[in-house]
Amino acid sequence: DVAVKKEVLDKARELGVKFVRLQFTDIFGTLKNVAITVEQLEKALDGELMFDGSSIHGFTRIEESDMYLRPDPNTFTVFPWRPREGAVARLICDVYNPDGTPFEGCPRYALKRVLAEAKEMGYTMNVGPECEFFLFNVDKDGKPTTETHDQAGYFDMTPVDLGENARRDMVLTLEDMGFEIEASHHEVAPGQHEIDFKYSDALDVADKIMTFKFVVRTIAQRHGLHATFMPKPIFGINGSGMHMNQSLFTLDGKNAFYDPSTPDQLSETAKYYIGGLIKHARSFAALTNSSVNSYKRLVPGYEAPCYVAWSGRNRSPLIRIPAKRGMSTRIELRNPDPACNPYLAIAAALKAGLDGIKNKITPPPPTDRNIYTMTAAEREELGIASLPASLREALMELKSNPVICSVLGEHILERFIEAKTKEWDEFRVTVHDWEVKKYLTLY
Ligand code: ADP
Ligand code: MG
Ligand code: MG
Ligand code: MG
Ligand code: MG
C-alpha cells in the first residue's frame, strides 16, 4: 500500500499535476468532485480529507455529516484534454464514516459487498458495457437542443460531420486514459453513437462507466455539441441503452459459464445465473432503468426489450447469449440504460445471478420466436412476464423483493425509494404536451 501511494505521488510530480479531483458517485449515479491541490495529495491518499456529506443529495443527515474520502490509488488518471502545465488528475474514492467504517450510502461499497459474496462462492465478475448516447446541437445561447447534427447537416454546407469528429476525439481521449476501445460506431438513430470498451473486472468497469460518461460529455462540449445519456430523448426513434455483457470467472481465471461438454456449451452455472436474472428482472429494473424516461425506451419496436425471456438467437428478449464461446462466453443483459447508477445496476444483476446459482434456479426454456408477434395469451402460456411499464411499477417490484433490497442496504434503499417516488409523483402531476394535444380540442 505504501508502494502504491508512493507511485501515485511520483507520477503526480512527474506529470506536473497541480490539481487533483477526488471523485465519488452519489446514490443517483451523479459524479461528484472535491478538488484539491497537489500539496494535499498525500493527506488525501491517507484518507484524511473530510467533506460535508450533508451537501450531497441523498447522502446523509445533517447531524452525521462529516465524511471521509479514501481514494483508490489504482484509479489515478490525468485528464488529457487539460493543459500539460498545471495538469489536472483524478482519483476515485470510497466514502467512509468518521469512525473508519465504510459509509452505507456509498454505491461503490454496495457493489464491493456483492463482489465479496461472489468471491466467497469462488467467482469474479466481468462486465462489458455497450454504452449508447446522442450528440445534439446547442443553440445560439449554448443551451442543448434535441436537434441532431445529422439532421442539421442536411442543410449544412460544411463538409465535416461534427459528430464523427467528436466521437473520434472521444475514443482517442479514452485510450489516453487507459481504456481499451473495442468498437465505436454510429447507431441506428440520427445523432446516436456507441462506443464499446473491453470487458474487465466489475468494479473497474463501474468506475470506467462513470469516467466514460464524464469524458464523452466533456469532449462533446469542446466540439460545440451536447452529449446525453437520457434513455429516450426523442419519441419515435431508438433510445439509448447500455447492454451489460457479463460473465463469472473462477478464481483461477477460467470462464465459469463455458462448458464444452453440453449441447449449447453453456455450463450449469450459466443456466442458474440466467435463472436468477429472469427471476429478479422485474425487481432490479428500478436500478438498471431508474428514471421515468427509462420506461419510454422499454417499448416494442425499437430493439429494446420489454419481455422477461432469454434466447441464443434473437435480439428481442431481455437476455441474449452471444454465439461466442471459450473465454468470451457471456450473458448479454439488454435492458440497462446509461442513466443508471452503474455500481448499483451491476451489483443488482450480480446478486440476481448469484441467487440463481445458490438456489439452483433453472431458467425457463429459451424463447427463439419473436416475442413481439405473440399474443398476450401465448406469452402467458409460455410464462413470459413483461418488464415493469413505469418507474412506479418498478419501485413497487423493488420494494417487494428482499434479495434485491439487500443489495442496497437500508440507507440507500430508503433514500432511493423516497427520491424516486418523488420523481414519479412530479411526472404524474405534470400536464404533458401529449395531453394538451389530445384533449384540448376534443373536450
Ligand atoms: P453486440 O454484438 O451486442 O453489439 P459488442 O461487440 O458491441 O456486442 O460488445 C460486446 C461486449 O462484450 C464488449 O464490451 C466485450 O468486451 C464484452 N465481452 C467479451 N467477452 C466477455 C466476457 N467473457 N464477459 C463479459 N463481457 C465480455
Ligand atoms: Mg454493440
Ligand atoms: Mg457489435
Ligand atoms: Mg447498440
Ligand atoms: Mg449488444
Side-chain angles (χ1 to χ4, degrees):
D1 230 41
V2 179
V4 193
K5 190 180 119 188
K6 187 170 175 300
E7 207 177 293
V8 170
L9 289 169
D10 287 348
K11 235 195 264 171
R13 201 169 310 116
E14 208 176 286
L15 297 169
V17 169
K18 181 67 189 141
F19 300 100
V20 183
R21 288 206 205 161
L22 304 181
Q23 301 185 322
F24 56 97
T25 300
D26 74 6
I27 295 174
F28 310 104
T30 308
L31 187 65
K32 302 286 176 182
N33 281 287
V34 180
I36 59 168
T37 59
V38 77
E39 286 76 27
Q40 290 174 286
L41 180 57
E42 184 159 11
K43 202 173 161 201
L45 286 168
D46 290 332
E48 285 168 12
L49 280 193
M50 208 178 71
F51 76 100
D52 182 3
S54 66
S55 59
I56 307 286
H57 182 40
F59 242 64
T60 180
R61 287 191 301 274
I62 290 159
E63 63 268 28
E64 44 176 17
S65 63
D66 286 349
M67 293 287 143
Y68 286 84
L69 295 177
R70 279 203 199 162
D72 181 337
N74 299 313
T75 62
F76 182 82
T77 318
V78 170
F79 295 153
W81 60 90
R82 300 303 289 261
R84 282 277 180 78
E85 222 165 293
V88 182
R90 75 90 199 266
L91 282 160
I92 293 177
C93 304
D94 292 307
V95 185
Y96 276 75
N97 296 311
D99 68 2
T101 54
F103 175 51
E104 296 276 324
C106 176
R108 203 170 188 257
Y109 175 52
L111 175 56
K112 281 183 165 182
R113 277 193 315 246
V114 188
L115 288 171
E117 191 182 328
K119 196 159 186 190
E120 220 154 86
M121 293 167 69
Y123 304 115
T124 59
M125 185 206 203
N126 298 292
V127 178
E130 302 171 58
C131 201
E132 296 174 336
F133 56 92
F134 278 86
L135 293 176
F136 288 129
N137 290 341
V138 292
D139 67 15
K140 286 193 293 299
D141 305 322
K143 267 181 56 194
T145 68
T146 52
E147 187 190 295
T148 67
H149 184 71
D150 300 15
Q151 287 163 344
Y154 192 65
F155 301 101
D156 206 323
M157 295 306 288
T158 52
V160 289
D161 182 332
L162 268 184
E164 302 286 323
N165 278 351
R167 203 182 67 226
R168 190 175 319 116
D169 197 2
M170 288 163 189
V171 169
L172 293 173
T173 306
L174 289 164
E175 283 176 343
D176 261 355
M177 295 176 79
F179 282 67
E180 197 176 318
I181 305 298
E182 286 192 333
S184 119
H185 55 87
H186 204 287
E187 258 301 337
V188 175
Q192 196 187 27
H193 300 264
E194 176 176 317
I195 299 177
D196 303 324
F197 52 91
K198 191 178 177 195
Y199 75 90
S200 67
D201 160 73
L203 185 67
D204 177 48
V205 164
D207 287 344
K208 280 203 167 101
I209 292 170
M210 292 309 298
T211 305
F212 178 92
K213 292 200 273 189
F214 169 60
V215 169
V216 165
R217 273 199 209 99
T218 303
I219 302 299
Q221 216 170 37
R222 294 170 77 90
H223 285 257
L225 295 166
H226 175 74
T228 184
F229 297 95
M230 179 178 176
K232 185 88 173 187
I234 301 171
F235 171 73
I237 64 176
N238 280 29
S240 294
M242 189 178 70
H243 296 168
M244 258 168 58
N245 294 270
Q246 50 203 290
S247 62
L248 297 180
F249 281 6
T250 54
L251 298 183
D252 58 353
K254 297 205 177 73
N255 190 321
F257 287 174
Y258 179 52
D259 181 354
S261 72
T262 67
D264 56 8
Q265 300 187 308
L266 292 176
S267 68
E268 201 171 49
T269 305
K271 290 285 169 61
Y272 292 148
Y273 193 97
I274 295 167
L277 285 176
I278 297 234
K279 175 171 178 196
H280 296 295
R282 282 177 51 78
S283 304
F284 65 64
L287 300 169
T288 48
N289 308 85
S290 55
S291 71
V292 167
N293 183 251
S294 296
Y295 296 86
K296 309 275 164 96
R297 169 178 162 258
L298 301 177
V299 297
Y302 303 98
E303 298 177 18
C306 25
Y307 302 113
V308 184
W310 71 288
S311 169
R313 290 209 208 123
N314 70 61
R315 288 177 183 246
S316 63
L318 175 70
I319 293 166
R320 180 176 72 103
I321 312 299
K324 292 256 179 65
R325 290 293 182 267
M327 287 301 271
S328 301
T329 313
R330 61 184 186 265
I331 291 167
E332 181 190 42
L333 183 68
R334 298 169 59 81
N335 67 315
D337 64 55
C340 72
N341 178 326
Y343 299 97
L344 300 181
I346 292 172
L350 175 60
K351 181 75 182 187
L354 293 180
D355 188 57
I357 295 171
K358 268 185 201 158
N359 296 302
K360 299 193 189 310
I361 301 173
T362 304
T367 310
D368 292 330
R369 273 180 58 200
N370 186 348
I371 309 174
Y372 295 121
T373 60
M374 290 180 191
T375 63
E378 283 177 297
R379 287 199 306 272
E380 200 185 319
E381 197 176 312
L382 293 168
I384 299 174
S386 298
L387 283 170
S390 68
L391 182 61
R392 179 189 138 80
E393 192 183 337
L395 290 171
M396 299 205 321
E397 285 290 327
L398 169 64
K399 278 191 268 189
S400 71
N401 185 319
V403 175
I404 303 302
C405 284
S406 77
V407 172
L408 304 181
E410 237 169 76
H411 184 107
I412 295 183
L413 180 67
E414 217 174 85
R415 281 155 186 83
F416 185 84
I417 298 272
E418 187 187 299
K420 290 293 167 182
T421 304
K422 200 163 151 245
E423 191 174 321
W424 171 261
D425 281 339
E426 252 174 58
F427 171 75
R428 186 174 61 86
V429 300
T430 301
V431 178
H432 301 274
D433 282 353
W434 180 90
E435 293 165 275
V436 174
K437 267 193 215 135
K438 186 102 177 165
Y439 304 127
L440 191 66
T441 52
L442 183 64
Y443 300 120

